[in-house]
C-alpha cells in the first residue's frame, strides 16, 4: 500500500482527458501570467510532486520556457505531461523524472523556476519540509524562483471546520473513499489516517498528514531564500487557485550546510 495506491481513488483534477482538469489548467496559466515581472524570463521550469505535470506545463506556457522537467514519485502519471504540452500548444524540451522531491537536487540539473502545486505539503512533516526547501534551493539558479500553491489548514480545518475522526474523501458512482483517524505523532507533528473503500470496507493505505499553516512554511522558506512573500487568493483573483508562497534568490551555502547534517 502506498501513496500511488491512494491516488488511484482520490479524484484530483489533473488528468488531461478530464474537461474539468483542462479548465483548471487554463486558470493556472492565468496565475503565472498574473505573476509576470516576478518570474524569470524564459525559465527552465521544474515541476515538483507534479503528478501529470499540469502546473509545470501551465508555467511553461505562460513564460515561454525552453525546458520543462516533471518530477513525481508516481511514474504512471508522468507520461500524461506530453498530452498537457499538446493542449498548451507548446514544445519545450520535456524531461520526466521519477523520484523523491526530498532528493531533487541529486536528480535534476539547474533550473530557474520551480513549482510545487496542488496543496501537496500535508504529505510531508517539518523535517521533510526542511529537506525539500534546501533541495529546491540547490536546484535553482542564483536568481531562481520557487512558487508553491498552498492553503492554511490550521485556520481552515482546525479552526473553521474542526478536525474529523471520520471523513469522506472522494465519492464516485462506483465507490466512496473514506479516511479514519488512527493517531498523532508528537515528534513528527503528523496525524495518521487509514483510508478505506466502500462498499466492502477495503483498506487502501495508511498515510501520515501534517496540517500545515502558511506562516510555518514561509518561515522555513525564509531560511533558504533571500526574498519571500505571500500572494493571497484575493490578490491574484483567480478562482480555483489557492494562496501562493513565493521565494526568490536561494541561499545555496545555507542549504548545503543544513543538508550535510541530515
Amino acid at each position: 500500500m502506498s501513496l500511488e495506491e491512494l491516488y488511484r481513488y482520490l479524484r484530483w483534477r489533473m488528468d488531461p482527458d478530464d474537461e474539468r482538469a483542462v479548465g483548471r489548467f487554463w486558470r493556472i496559466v492565468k496565475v503565472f501570467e498574473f505573476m509576470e515581472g516576478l518570474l524569470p524570463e524564459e525559465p527552465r521550469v521544474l515541476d515538483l510532486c507534479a503528478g501529470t505535470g499540469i502546473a509545470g506545463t501551465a508555467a511553461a506556457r505562460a513564460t515561454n520556457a525552453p525546458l520543462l522537467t516533471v518530477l513525481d514519485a508516481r511514474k504512471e502519471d508522468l507520461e500524461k505531461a506530453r498530452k498537457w504540452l499538446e493542449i498548451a500548444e507548446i514544445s519545450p524540451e520535456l524531461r520526466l523524472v521519477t523520484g523523491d522531491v526530498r532528493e531533487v537536487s541529486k536528480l535534476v540539473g539547474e533550473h530557474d523556476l520551480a513549482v510545487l502545486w496542488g496543496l501537496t505539503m500535508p504529505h510531508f512533516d517539518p523535517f521533510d519540509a526542511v529537506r525539500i526547501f534546501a533541495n529546491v534551493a540547490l536546484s535553482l539558479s542564483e536568481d531562481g524562483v520557487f512558487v508553491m500553491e498552498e492553503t492554511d489548514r490550521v485556520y481552515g480545518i482546525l479552526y473553521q471546520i474542526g478536525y474529523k475522526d471520520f471523513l469522506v474523501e472522494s465519492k464516485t458512482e462506483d465507490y466512496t473513499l473514506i479516511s479514519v483517524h488512527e493517531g498523532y505523532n508528537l515528534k513528527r507533528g503528523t496525524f495518521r489516517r487509514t483510508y478505506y473503500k466502500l462498499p466492502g470496507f477495503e483498506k487502501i493505505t495508511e498515510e501520515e498528514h501534517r496540517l500545515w499553516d502558511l506562516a510555518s512554511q514561509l518561515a522555513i522558506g525564509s531560511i533558504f531564500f533571500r526574498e519571500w512573500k505571500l500572494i493571497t487568493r484575493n490578490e491574484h483573483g483567480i478562482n480555483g487557485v489557492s494562496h501562493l508562497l513565493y521565494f526568490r534568490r536561494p541561499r545555496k551555502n545555507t542549504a548545503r550546510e543544513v543538508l550535510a547534517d541530515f
Side-chain angles (χ1 to χ4, degrees):
M1 293 183 290
S2 65
L3 189 61
E4 186 170 346
E5 182 73 11
L6 174 62
Y7 272 84
R8 290 195 181 101
Y9 296 99
L10 281 176
R11 295 299 184 182
W12 198 244
R13 293 178 183 172
M14 63 178 181
D15 192 316
D17 293 323
D18 182 345
E19 291 184 2
R20 296 171 298 177
V22 174
R24 178 182 175 227
F25 169 79
W26 290 112
R27 290 193 294 273
I28 300 173
V29 172
K30 287 183 180 180
V31 169
F32 285 110
E33 291 174 343
F34 166 84
M35 297 179 70
E36 183 182 6
L38 294 174
L39 304 177
E41 295 183 5
E42 298 188 5
R44 296 162 292 179
V45 175
L46 173 60
D47 192 353
L48 304 165
C49 301
T52 62
I54 181 173
T57 305
R61 160 81 188 206
T63 61
N64 194 28
L67 169 66
L68 171 60
T69 300
V70 181
L71 181 145
D72 199 276
R74 306 188 309 275
K75 183 177 181 179
E76 66 183 60
D77 282 341
L78 290 175
E79 285 293 334
K80 295 181 180 180
R82 302 184 192 280
K83 182 65 178 291
W84 281 122
L85 292 181
E86 293 177 10
I87 291 170
E89 297 182 333
I90 57 175
S91 55
E93 179 185 348
L94 178 63
R95 299 176 184 173
L96 307 179
V97 180
T98 304
D100 188 337
V101 66
R102 291 166 291 196
E103 303 288 339
V104 63
S105 65
K106 300 177 182 178
L107 302 174
V108 304
E110 185 178 84
H111 290 71
D112 308 298
L113 172 61
V115 299
L116 181 59
W117 215 260
L119 316 181
T120 304
M121 286 302 289
H123 294 304
F124 304 105
D125 68 29
F127 302 96
D128 293 329
V130 170
R131 291 176 61 193
I132 290 170
F133 274 97
N135 268 273
V136 173
L138 291 177
S139 302
L140 289 172
S141 54
E142 291 299 326
D143 197 38
V145 170
F146 180 28
V147 180
M148 303 169 65
E149 184 201 18
E150 265 300 322
T151 190
D152 196 311
R153 296 164 190 84
V154 170
Y155 181 69
I157 295 177
L158 296 183
Y159 176 72
Q160 288 188 311
I161 298 173
Y163 183 78
K164 306 295 183 182
D165 289 336
F166 180 98
L167 190 64
V168 175
E169 300 281 356
S170 180
K171 188 175 179 63
T172 72
E173 294 180 358
D174 300 318
Y175 64 84
T176 298
L177 185 70
I178 65 166
S179 67
V180 180
H181 174 75
E182 298 283 5
Y184 181 78
N185 187 317
L186 284 172
K187 185 176 180 179
R188 295 181 61 205
T190 54
F191 293 86
R192 185 171 71 252
R193 298 189 72 90
T194 302
Y195 290 78
Y196 298 92
K197 183 165 71 78
L198 304 177
F201 225 79
E202 176 188 349
K203 184 176 179 180
I204 301 302
T205 190
E206 295 178 4
E207 293 292 331
E208 298 271 348
H209 296 308
R210 167 74 174 180
L211 298 184
W212 283 99
D213 62 301
L214 296 177
S216 295
Q217 295 182 71
L218 286 168
I220 295 173
S222 72
I223 296 170
F224 297 102
F225 291 84
R226 293 177 175 84
E227 300 176 17
W228 56 273
K229 66 187 296 184
L230 170 65
I231 302 172
T232 67
R233 282 182 296 229
N234 289 337
E235 288 177 282
H236 65 66
I238 308 300
N239 186 43
V241 176
S242 194
H243 306 299
L244 305 176
L245 309 185
Y246 173 91
F247 305 94
R248 189 167 196 155
R249 299 176 61 220
R251 303 178 191 268
K252 292 178 177 286
N253 289 339
T254 300
R256 293 187 187 97
E257 290 177 9
V258 170
L259 288 177
D261 293 330
F262 268 84

